[in-house]
Structures are given as structure tokens and as C-alpha cells.
């Protein structure tokens, strides 16, 4: 075999290795995009660059895998559904109280599922791994809840908060919005 043939084989092998690496990288990116959905876009937009955002999302996956998450019992699921129904009914007469109760219910539900509730940022990171599609709703609802505590939320904002909380409650209960009425 001539040195030219060896050089061509080496170049072809390097090209194949590079192409395989690029394909693996793109596949991993697609997996992150599918898993995190809108949270992927948010992380990229807020991060220094796409690679740093993807690294952060993979770290979230690793930290999430260390959690001891648990499914709710049917009784707990029914209890949360009943509490949610009560909160929605209460909204008509006392929207401010209903939003505060919804925030408290979501916090308790998150805790009962095994997520940490001490730090809001950490809570968001853990929830983003399995509940990324409703996480934006949770952020919006929580922000409105904070404004509500300061007396600065309008009734329409409070209504939006309840709708946002409803989507997260349904997601955490493993149901659809219809299941939480």
C-alpha cells in the first residue's frame, strides 16, 4: 500500500469520525429540544451561548435523576383534585384569596411529589426536566401571585394565574386540564 493510499484512508477515517461526532451532537441537541420544549428555547435565549445552555440543561437532568420522586396515591390525587375544584369555585367571590391558595396548593403538590420547595429557582430547574411544557405557566402564575400579595394584580391577571396554575396542577397530577375542571 502506498503512502498516498494510507493518507486517503486516514483522511476518510477522520472525516467519518468528525461526521459521527457532529451527528451525535445534533442528535443530543434534538433530544434536549424535545425533552425541554420551550424551556430549551428559554435557556438558550437567557444563556451566554447555546453550548452553555445545553450543558446547563444536561446538568438539570443529572440533578433531577438524583431526586426521589414519587407518584401520588389515588387518594392524594382525589384530594388535590377536590382542593383544586374548591379553589376555582372560590375565585368568583375572592379571586385574591383563590390565587394565594392555588400557589400554596401547587407548592404542596410539588413537595408531595418529591421536589424540593425551599428555593424557587431550584424548584424551576427540577420541574423543567419533566414538566417543561407547563413551566412557563407556572412562572407566569407565580409572578402574578407575588404581585397579588402586594395588591398590584388585576382581576384579569388573577384569572390568568388560576388558568396557569390549573395547567401545572393537571400536569403534576398526570391528567389533562379537563380532569381538573
Amino acid at each position: 500500500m502506498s503512502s498516498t493510499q494510507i493518507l486517503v484512508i486516514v483522511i476518510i477515517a477522520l472525516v467519518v469520525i468528525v461526521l459521527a461526532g457532529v451527528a451525535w451532537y445534533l442528535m443530543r441537541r434534538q433530544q434536549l429540544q424535545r425533552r425541554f420544549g420551550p424551556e430549551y428555547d428559554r435557556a438558550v435565549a437567557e444563556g451566554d451561548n447555546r453550548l452553555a445552555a445545553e450543558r446547563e440543561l444536561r446538568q438539570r437532568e443529572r440533578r433531577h435523576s438524583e431526586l426521589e420522586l414519587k407518584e401520588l396515591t389515588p387518594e392524594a390525587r382525589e384530594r388535590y383534585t377536590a382542593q383544586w375544584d374548591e379553589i376555582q369555585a372560590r375565585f368568583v367571590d375572592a379571586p385574591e384569596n383563590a390565587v394565594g391558595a392555588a400557589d400554596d396548593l401547587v407548592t404542596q403538590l410539588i413537595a408531595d411529589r418529591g421536589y424540593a420547595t425551599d428555593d424557587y429557582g431550584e424548584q424551576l430547574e427540577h420541574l423543567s426536566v419533566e414538566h417543561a411544557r407547563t413551566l412557563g405557566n407556572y412562572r407566569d402564575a407565580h409572578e402574578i401571585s407575588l404581585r397579588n400579595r402586594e395588591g398590584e394584580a388585576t382581576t384579569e391577571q388573577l384569572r390568568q394565574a388560576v388558568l396557569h396554575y390549573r395547567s401545572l396542577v393537571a400536569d403534576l397530577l398526570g391528567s389533562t386540564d379537563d380532569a381538573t375542571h
Side-chain angles (χ1 to χ4, degrees):
M1 201 179 276
S2 73
S3 61
T4 304
Q5 290 173 324
I6 293 173
L7 183 61
V8 168
I9 291 171
V10 168
I11 289 173
I12 290 173
L14 288 174
V15 168
V16 168
I17 290 170
V18 168
L19 289 176
V22 168
W24 177 83
Y25 173 77
L26 292 175
M27 185 179 68
R28 182 67 175 134
R29 176 176 284 172
Q30 284 181 329
Q31 288 173 337
L32 286 172
Q33 287 171 327
R34 272 193 308 275
R35 179 160 201 174
F36 286 94
E39 187 65 16
Y40 176 90
D41 297 331
R42 180 184 180 89
V44 169
E46 290 181 354
D48 295 334
N49 59 56
R50 184 177 299 273
L51 291 175
E54 289 175 352
R55 188 174 27 249
E56 166 59 25
L57 293 173
R58 284 190 295 276
Q59 289 172 352
R60 288 184 194 183
E61 286 178 321
R62 280 192 288 280
R63 289 189 301 264
H64 181 271
S65 70
E66 295 170 359
L67 295 174
E68 293 183 24
L69 299 178
K70 50 193 169 241
E71 291 297 319
L72 296 173
T73 65
E75 296 79 20
R77 196 177 307 280
E78 287 177 28
R79 181 173 37 89
Y80 278 113
T81 300
Q83 288 175 332
W84 181 253
D85 289 345
E86 181 183 316
I87 287 169
Q88 288 187 119
R90 194 180 334 158
F91 181 83
V92 174
D93 294 325
E96 297 88 1
N97 294 341
V99 169
D103 190 58
D104 293 343
L105 178 77
V106 165
T107 300
Q108 184 59 49
L109 177 54
I110 289 168
D112 283 357
R113 290 287 317 276
Y115 293 98
T117 56
D118 298 335
D119 179 74
Y120 178 68
E122 182 182 347
Q123 185 182 76
L124 290 175
E125 288 178 5
H126 287 308
L127 286 170
S128 72
V129 176
E130 289 186 10
H131 304 284
R133 304 241 183 276
T134 54
L135 195 60
N137 288 340
Y138 181 42
R139 278 190 177 97
D140 293 344
H142 187 73
E143 180 62 33
I144 293 168
S145 181
L146 293 176
R147 278 187 267 150
N148 180 44
R149 290 180 188 156
E150 297 173 5
E152 297 176 3
T154 66
T155 303
E156 176 56 24
Q157 290 171 329
L158 297 173
R159 186 185 74 76
Q160 285 296 317
V162 169
L163 293 174
H164 291 321
Y165 279 127
R166 180 174 68 186
S167 68
L168 182 62
V169 168
D171 194 20
L172 289 165
L173 292 176
S175 60
T176 65
D177 277 345
D178 294 336
T180 52
H181 309 287

